[in-house]
Amino acid sequence: MLTALPGRPPGDDPAVRPLLDAAHTELARTAEVFLDLAGQAGRTASALGIHRQTLYYRLSRVEQLTGLDLADGEDRLLLHMALKTARL
């Protein structure tokens, strides 16, 4: 369904592109799990097997790298769709 959308796919967004670089695989995975689990920090940390402070640090790095605000619904949606599209 995502590949059938007209226009530029979310993975082509300049804000998300740096996160999709191979050097940031773990940050991308962290963001995707966080978004898959509806932004629930406790469940995300548990799923990743990391301390909650580590999760917060990684999410902060994602925000710094992309310029997106994970507290903003549109930014979260853009990031989530870009991460899903990148795996297609």
Side-chain angles (χ1 to χ4, degrees):
M1 189 180 327
L2 289 175
T3 59
L5 292 173
R8 190 178 76 196
D12 285 347
D13 191 282
V16 179
R17 219 173 282 137
L19 185 61
L20 298 177
D21 185 84
H24 302 295
T25 304
E26 196 60 34
L27 288 178
R29 179 174 170 263
T30 298
E32 187 170 4
V33 171
F34 176 73
L35 294 166
D36 285 346
L37 296 175
Q40 294 183 5
R43 287 180 58 204
T44 303
S46 179
L48 293 171
I50 60 176
H51 191 277
R52 196 178 285 209
Q53 277 306 117
T54 302
L55 172 65
Y56 293 139
Y57 171 76
R58 289 182 186 179
L59 294 175
S60 170
R61 288 285 300 129
V62 168
E63 289 182 323
Q64 290 171 0
L65 193 62
T66 63
L68 298 174
D69 179 3
L70 293 178
D72 180 270
E74 287 187 28
D75 285 357
R76 283 193 314 269
L77 180 60
L78 170 68
L79 180 57
H80 206 187
M81 292 295 97
L83 292 168
K84 294 299 185 188
T85 302
R87 289 196 305 115
L88 293 177

